Amino acid sequence: LTKNLAGYMVNPTRRLQKNIKHWLRRNSFHLPQLPLIRYACDLYLDAHYGNTDASMQSNGEAEFLRSIIPTEKTTYTVFDVGANIGNWTREVLKLNPSIKAHCFEPSFETFRTLSRSLPDTVTCRNIAFGSQIGSSAFFVYGEGNVHNSFFNHESFRVGTKTEVPVDKLDDYCEREDISRVDFLKVDV
């Protein structure tokens, strides 16, 4: 600890972390998507937040869900946008099986796996959400692949380009008579 000009005790490491975070927030959209930049960010996150892997059990996501999802029977609606094969929704249902879950997955192959792996009480839709109703090009790199996207990842092996239906979230809620979404998980 050192004293700043006003005489207050300051942790220089914490100040540096704040300055780096502030700079990244203001400038991250300017940074190119270089592997070296991504690697440096992963190192930073690993050092300061523990784990950046996709495992809900080790990266803190399951613990976070346990702290916010009510365990008593209640009317609670969750949306899983970009549901992939449904791991997140299964974790939520373990905490409270009475939750009304809606899962959305635009990749048809992944959607088939999703809809077969969840209970009938879960509403599964093979759609994406966007700012306009219609359809859009979607790049599929394999069933359940987390890189399936509207973005063409040219650095990956060749994906399959398909058209997927796109809906507006507000319109979906109106059609399904959903007046409130208590938790919206977006992984797109």
Side-chain angles (χ1 to χ4, degrees), residues 109-128:
E109 295 82 10
T110 305
F111 171 77
R112 280 195 322 220
T113 302
L114 168 74
S115 60
R116 291 177 185 156
S117 69
L118 293 172
D120 292 339
T121 57
V122 176
T123 302
C124 295
R125 299 282 187 249
N126 185 208
I127 60 173

Side-chain angles (χ1 to χ4, degrees), residues 78-85 89 100-116 118-129 138 164-169 171-173 175-178:
V78 299
F79 277 19
D80 184 353
V81 179
N84 199 280
I85 59 172
T89 299
K100 285 190 55 97
H102 295 254
C103 294
F104 308 94
E105 175 54 48
S107 167
F108 180 72
E109 295 82 10
T110 305
F111 171 77
R112 280 195 322 220
T113 302
L114 168 74
S115 60
R116 291 177 185 156
L118 293 172
D120 292 339
T121 57
V122 176
T123 302
C124 295
R125 299 282 187 249
N126 185 208
I127 60 173
F129 284 119
F138 191 78
V164 297
V166 178
D167 200 354
K168 289 172 59 176
L169 189 62
D171 291 357
Y172 175 84
C173 289
R175 277 193 313 278
E176 297 295 319
D177 197 28
I178 298 169

Side-chain angles (χ1 to χ4, degrees), residues 16-31:
L16 178 62
Q17 288 172 353
K18 280 185 167 183
N19 287 342
I20 290 171
K21 283 181 189 178
H22 178 71
W23 185 87
L24 284 172
R25 280 190 195 114
R26 293 189 65 202
N27 297 293
S28 63
F29 60 92
H30 294 296
L31 296 174

